[in-house]
Amino acid sequence: MNDLFRRFALWSTLILALPTLANAQGSTAADSKPKFVIRFSHVVENDTPKGIAALEFKRLVEQRTKGRVQVQVYPNSTLYKDKEELEALQLGAVEMLAPSLAKFGQLGIREFEVFDLPYIFPNRTALRVVTNGPIGRSLLSPLEERGIKGLAFWDNGFKVMSSNYPLRLPEDLKGRRMRIQPSRVIETQMETLGAIPIPLPFSDVYAALETGLVDGTENPPSNLYSQNMHHVQKYVAVTNHGFLGYAVIVNKKYWDNLPGDIRIILENCLQDATRKNTQEADRLNAAALAAVKKSRKTQVVDLTEEERSQWRQALEPVYRKVESRIDKSLIASIRRAVQTTQAQTQ
Ligand code: LMR
């Protein structure tokens, strides 16, 4: 009897609850089903300047559109690797990316490689004056012919050199096989140092270092540390010789078909996510470098001013060597903008 009663009670509770459940399900499905989904693919870890900014963008967009737009972030090459992701964006298989500027040469856009020139920016403030101003805007516009809309620039600060051979001065890279991003300027930079440049996708770098396919590489500390490259690199020289920047891009057709009010919200969210990227990059890189030092797996070599000027001098010929590739007037206008910023801050 007791058992029968319990069964009856259970069934009646379920039957009474059914309309409510259906309503709840129905209304949740109707209200919370995103109308627009943005798949945002990238190749680095979440806990990096780019990863954090992508997650901030997702958080803000979903909050401010009240779920009308969902942003699915796929970090660490889980969806696509370097070159694949650019193709996927053009085909509409993902909506949003933030590839490094060194990777746009593959699309036939050489101008972005200007950012790879050694020591072109003395600090990140000067860099932002360039990326946030007319030069930045004019660099993004040629993307449109390739079905891509450039929305913003993010960055990851400055790169260090790493190797499995003792490393302090430029000549220490002679004959070393160095993994690079597919940028002709970076290729020239490595050749100028007497190294052998080997372009590889970011997702393959750890294995390439581990197996000895390459001896070394370059990246900001946050990328080095978050990919555990310090486990497979014996030396890191804090050269800060080059800058690693990103262009945040969307599939143009997708973007143009979004309702205007949504586009405005997305642009505002991106501005705020960009601010987050700007604020977090220095902190994350400093923390990563400290963690690499603490791990004692890699010897971190801090350079003296004199040693740094040796790197600067050794890399100066890169500018002349890439003259046929990078418009001289673009380099000159970046230098003018940098000088103006420096004069203003003195
Ligand atoms: C690299 O390929 O070395 C980096 O550009 C990866 C990234 O996107 O930061």
Side-chain angles (χ1 to χ4, degrees), residues 43-44 50 82 98-100 103 156 179 181 202 218-219 223 244 246:
V43 299
V44 294
K50 174 159 65 178
D82 287 335
S100 85
K103 291 173 185 164
N156 191 346
R179 178 268 169 174
Q181 303 183 71
F202 186 63
E218 55 161 28
N219 240 304
N223 274 356
L244 178 60
Y246 307 112

Side-chain angles (χ1 to χ4, degrees), residues 14 19 27-28 86 116 119 139 144 149 184 203-205 262:
L14 276 176
S27 66
T28 321
L86 282 165
D116 296 327
Y119 297 106
L139 285 170
E144 305 214 356
K149 169 99 186 143
R184 294 297 280 275
S203 52
D204 297 354
V205 179
I262 294 270

